[in-house]
Amino acid sequence: MAAPSSSSSSSPVLSLWKAYHQNTSDRLKFIDSFLIFLMISGIIQFVYCVLVTNFPFNAFLAGFSSTVGQFVLTASLRSQVNPENKGVFKDVSPERAFSDFVLGSIVLHFFVFNFLG
Amino acid sequence: MLSLYTFILLIFGLAVVLDAKSSSGNSVLVILDPARRPDYSIFFDGLQEKGYDLTFRAPKDETPVLIQDDIPSFAHVVFFESDTKHFAKDITPQTLVELLSGKTNLLIALSQKQNLLTSFAPEFSLILPPPGSSLLSYFPERKENNSVVPIEVPSSSNIISAGTAPVWFSGVPFVLGNNPLIFPILNAPAESFAADAEGITPDALADAAEKGGEGLWAGSQLAVAAGFQTLGNARVAWLGGVELFSNEFAKKEISKGVKSGNQQAAADIAAWTFQESLVLRIDSTTHHLVNTSVPKEHYTINDVVEYIAQISRFNPNKGKWEPYSGINDLQLEFTMLDPHIRTALPPVPGSPGKYAVTLRVPDRHGVFKFVINHKRKGWTYLQSSTTVPVVPPRHDGYPRFLSAAWPYYAGAISTSLGFFVFSALYLAGDARETNLRKAKGAKAQ
């Protein structure tokens, strides 16, 4: 949905930010903040791997893929609980989406901690 | 019963002491015309005194055969009858080679005449001069025939004992080819040359010398006695002439009042040929991780391993093997196709016969071998190969919880914690919204 154009907003970025602020529900904003946390964590690990050491490599893979995997699962949750996408996910109730998210995350963390060694 | 046992042991021990001259057996076959046997009696008596068991066979006799049922009948064969043209049918170059494969040692004297040895010698990288030639020398001036040449014993020789007087020689010199297994025992004097004793004239010699020695077999590169040790450690001594071993030369004075060294040289050459001197063996080899003592079935990459070899030398005087620490250039290789490690294997001071080295297994897994391959001229070749697999660490053999990995651990743990906090807050928000909706619904009603 397009942000309502306002004569006072001089920059498109600013207007985008404003529209996001006004038109996004608190729940989705909460999910977005978790996504940003995961992204930052992943970037830090990647930079550490490139600049400092990739040894032990399995630990890097586990740590990095846990953030990436969690990001993907959380992003799926966000698109499924977004009321705007109700038409696309007719059969998926928000409760069902959340339980999928939890199950997927538990499996992911199981593998991550196995691999972290 | 006990006394019988000790008695048997005693007999056995005595037998060992009596037999004890060669490390590989006492039976010797001498191929020689019986009529000429007395000419070499000093040499043969010397052998018999040492405890050798001599059997004589005329060159045309059919028995005793050299090889019976594919097994050599004698430990050593002395081939002195080289003037003969035809031999019994089992004496052929092929049987002589077979004898060597069967670890029989050969002492062979060449002659000027052509016979089976003329074709056999080149197989050992011996290059013989044209038939009929013999070693001649006009120096030093002496009353003997020019073909009877005195030869200084090299002081560096480890086969002929040091301090042996010069020896008389008469016979054929030869050139040694580039086979690494052959080496000279006695070289011809520098001023000697090989020529037909009758055919050579001073003019011909001068001509040859003007051409830079071309076509002239001369100088100290010629050998008159050479040793050859096969890869199976059988030994062959090649002599330019059998007279070196004769009573006549043994008694002949080299200078006024000084006896020649022939008797000593003959005994020493025979001692080398019959595996008495310069005989080594590897008694045992073992390997283990440092600070343990049991050999491991396989090693892990980067393990630190100690390798130990125990080496003995045969002592012909006592007839016993004794630990020997005198090898200073022994090397150990740790190979997988190529030597990944080649290192010195030094003797351990204080423990005779023990050679040890500590090495770190390379960072490479595969089937490796500890290899000792020690070949020195005159000495028994030492060869040993022990196969050990080198494996990568087991899945639980790697180091864990490294400090370098803490950012990754922290990342994974924070993601999990974040997931729990997120789920809790999400559910809490869910409940609040439901409550809100209910409250709204109630208000609306």
Side-chain angles (χ1 to χ4, degrees), chain B residues 42 144 148-153 160 163-169 243-266:
Chain B
I42 293 182
E144 285 89 8
V148 177
V149 182
I151 297 177
E152 289 279 344
V153 173
I160 300 178
T164 305
V167 297
W168 289 109
F169 175 81
E243 265 68 51
L244 185 67
F245 284 58
S246 68
N247 295 354
E248 187 198 340
F249 280 11
K251 287 177 188 154
K252 195 175 164 81
E253 287 180 346
I254 199 85
S255 57
K256 200 119 188 93
V258 181
K259 229 175 97 178
S260 75
N262 280 52
Q263 189 179 344
Q264 181 65 40

Side-chain angles (χ1 to χ4, degrees), chain B residues 260-333:
Chain B
S260 75
N262 280 52
Q263 189 179 344
Q264 181 65 40
D268 286 342
I269 291 173
W272 178 80
T273 314
F274 296 170
Q275 309 269 1
E276 281 181 38
S277 60
L278 309 187
V279 180
L280 299 174
R281 75 171 180 204
I282 296 178
D283 293 328
S284 64
T285 61
T286 179
H287 49 85
H288 55 75
L289 279 179
V290 279
N291 305 326
T292 63
S293 55
V294 189
K296 275 186 82 174
E297 203 107 302
H298 53 72
Y299 293 101
T300 309
I301 56 172
N302 295 328
D303 273 354
V304 181
V305 175
E306 187 174 28
Y307 180 87
I308 299 166
Q310 194 74 35
I311 292 176
S312 291
R313 180 182 181 173
F314 185 72
N315 181 343
N317 299 326
K318 293 184 189 161
K320 272 199 290 201
W321 290 91
E322 289 172 349
Y324 182 63
S325 289
I327 309 175
N328 292 316
D329 52 0
L330 196 62
Q331 286 187 329
L332 175 71
E333 288 173 3

Side-chain angles (χ1 to χ4, degrees), chain B residues 63-295:
Chain B
T63 53
V65 291
L66 292 172
I67 298 176
Q68 179 92 50
D69 303 330
D70 276 354
I71 295 167
S73 317
F74 298 91
H76 319 284
V77 173
V78 177
F79 201 99
F80 273 2
E81 190 55 56
S82 35
D83 284 349
T84 313
K85 188 111 185 158
H86 300 287
F87 291 89
K89 64 176 183 294
D90 73 318
I91 303 176
T92 62
Q94 288 77 9
T95 33
L96 293 180
V97 168
E98 233 176 283
L99 283 178
L100 287 175
S101 325
K103 304 210 169 194
T104 302
N105 307 301
L106 301 180
L107 180 59
I108 301 177
L110 293 164
S111 82
Q112 287 147 295
K113 301 206 174 106
Q114 278 202 296
N115 58 17
L116 63 90
L117 295 177
T118 321
S119 59
F120 187 49
E123 302 293 328
F124 295 81
S125 201
L126 248 56
I127 304 161
L128 300 180
S133 314
S134 59
L135 188 72
L136 302 180
S137 176
Y138 297 113
F139 302 94
E141 196 176 8
R142 59 196 185 277
K143 61 180 187 297
E144 285 89 8
N145 193 332
N146 288 330
S147 66
V148 177
V149 182
I151 297 177
E152 289 279 344
V153 173
S155 54
S156 60
S157 170
N158 50 6
I159 290 175
I160 300 178
S161 28
T164 305
V167 297
W168 289 109
F169 175 81
S170 162
V172 197
F174 39 80
V175 178
L176 303 182
N178 52 10
N179 189 324
L181 304 181
I182 196 155
F183 61 97
I185 296 174
L186 270 181
N187 278 321
E191 60 274 15
S192 65
F193 56 94
D196 194 329
E198 284 85 42
I200 194 84
T201 62
D203 287 347
L205 265 182
D207 278 356
E210 263 170 32
K211 285 182 204 155
E214 196 186 326
L216 192 64
W217 292 60
S220 56
Q221 285 305 303
L222 294 174
V224 300
F228 185 99
Q229 194 162 241
T230 66
L231 293 175
N233 279 325
R235 290 175 173 180
V236 193
W238 289 93
L239 303 167
V242 71
E243 265 68 51
L244 185 67
F245 284 58
S246 68
N247 295 354
E248 187 198 340
F249 280 11
K251 287 177 188 154
K252 195 175 164 81
E253 287 180 346
I254 199 85
S255 57
K256 200 119 188 93
V258 181
K259 229 175 97 178
S260 75
N262 280 52
Q263 189 179 344
Q264 181 65 40
D268 286 342
I269 291 173
W272 178 80
T273 314
F274 296 170
Q275 309 269 1
E276 281 181 38
S277 60
L278 309 187
V279 180
L280 299 174
R281 75 171 180 204
I282 296 178
D283 293 328
S284 64
T285 61
T286 179
H287 49 85
H288 55 75
L289 279 179
V290 279
N291 305 326
T292 63
S293 55
V294 189

Side-chain angles (χ1 to χ4, degrees), chain A residues 27 30-31 34 37-38 41 45 48-49 53-56 59-60 63 66-67 70 74 77 81 94-95 98 101-102 105-106 109 112-113 116-117, chain B residues 399-433:
Chain A
R27 181 172 294 276
F30 176 53
I31 294 179
F34 187 47
F37 161 72
L38 290 172
S41 167
Q45 287 178 59
Y48 179 78
C49 170
T53 176
N54 66 357
F55 178 81
F60 163 70
S66 82
T67 57
Q70 191 65 65
T74 314
L77 175 70
V81 298
E95 290 77 16
F98 183 70
F101 163 75
V102 168
S105 300
I106 288 172
H109 291 149
V112 163
F113 282 95
L116 198 61
Chain B
R400 307 185 73 182
F401 307 119
L402 307 171
S403 55
W406 271 111
Y408 307 133
Y409 300 151
I413 291 167
S414 68
T415 307
S416 299
L417 287 178
F419 162 69
F420 281 117
V421 171
F422 173 80
S423 304
L425 290 179
Y426 189 92
L427 288 175
D430 221 20
R432 207 178 58 202
E433 259 178 29

